[in-house]
Amino acid sequence: SLRTGTMEQARILVADDEEGIRELLREQLNAAGYATDEATDGAEAIDKLDHDTYDLAILDINMPKKSGLDVLKHIRDRQLKMGVIMLTGRLGFSVGSESMLLGADEYITKPFDLEYLELAIKKVLESGGK
């Protein structure tokens, strides 16, 4: 169950191998009132998901060890009740549509517009994810 109705902060896991992107997202999300946690690759993201509970994951598709799609599959296979937003640096409908087929709630291409990302996060959190 998502806790957006209460005063408790929604917890967001940001998984991206680019430090600059993680930093940008952390600052932006913390400023918007979300609690954040970070993973530097897909394997670390899966490890965190196995040990902690999140309301939403923002996953970069291209990461070392395990891709964002691997992490997405992990979340959906385990039926974790959370939203998933994919980030892709590759312009290409196929990657986004593939991630949607695998159960992503939203996908955003880099470089992304922070306002658009925040709206997407709100939308996914309110709908409760897939």
Side-chain angles (χ1 to χ4, degrees), residues 29-40:
L29 295 174
N30 292 347
Y34 299 112
T36 55
D37 199 357
E38 289 166 49
T40 56

Side-chain angles (χ1 to χ4, degrees), residues 57-61 69 72 84-101 103-110 112 116-117 120-121 123-124 130:
I58 298 175
L59 308 171
D60 182 42
I61 286 184
L69 293 175
L72 171 62
V84 180
I85 294 176
M86 306 302 292
L87 293 179
T88 170
R90 282 183 292 183
L91 282 167
F93 177 68
S94 60
V95 178
S97 57
E98 187 187 353
S99 68
M100 298 300 269
L101 284 172
D105 296 290
E106 193 70 68
Y107 80 96
I108 290 172
T109 30
K110 294 180 190 177
F112 48 82
Y116 178 74
L117 178 68
I121 288 169
K123 190 178 92 176
V124 172
K130 283 206 168 54

Side-chain angles (χ1 to χ4, degrees), residues 4 16 33-34 39 41 44 57 63-64 66 70 74 76 78 84-86 88-89 92 96 99 102 108 112 116 118 127:
T4 40
D16 197 306
Y34 299 112
D41 60 53
E44 190 186 349
M63 287 187 288
K66 297 256 182 201
D70 292 329
H74 178 89
R76 296 307 179 222
R78 278 159 188 71
V84 180
I85 294 176
M86 306 302 292
T88 170
S99 68
L102 288 169
I108 290 172
F112 48 82
Y116 178 74
E118 256 184 66
S127 71

Side-chain angles (χ1 to χ4, degrees), residues 22-75:
R22 290 198 312 274
E23 215 164 271
L24 176 72
L25 288 172
R26 181 177 64 231
E27 284 172 15
Q28 185 75 8
L29 295 174
N30 292 347
Y34 299 112
T36 55
D37 199 357
E38 289 166 49
T40 56
D41 60 53
E44 190 186 349
I46 286 172
D47 188 55
K48 290 193 179 238
L49 288 161
D50 284 342
H51 293 97
D52 227 325
T53 311
Y54 301 95
D55 298 297
L56 175 72
I58 298 175
L59 308 171
D60 182 42
I61 286 184
N62 294 316
M63 287 187 288
K65 294 180 188 159
K66 297 256 182 201
S67 73
L69 293 175
D70 292 329
V71 182
L72 171 62
K73 282 184 191 138
H74 178 89
I75 290 170

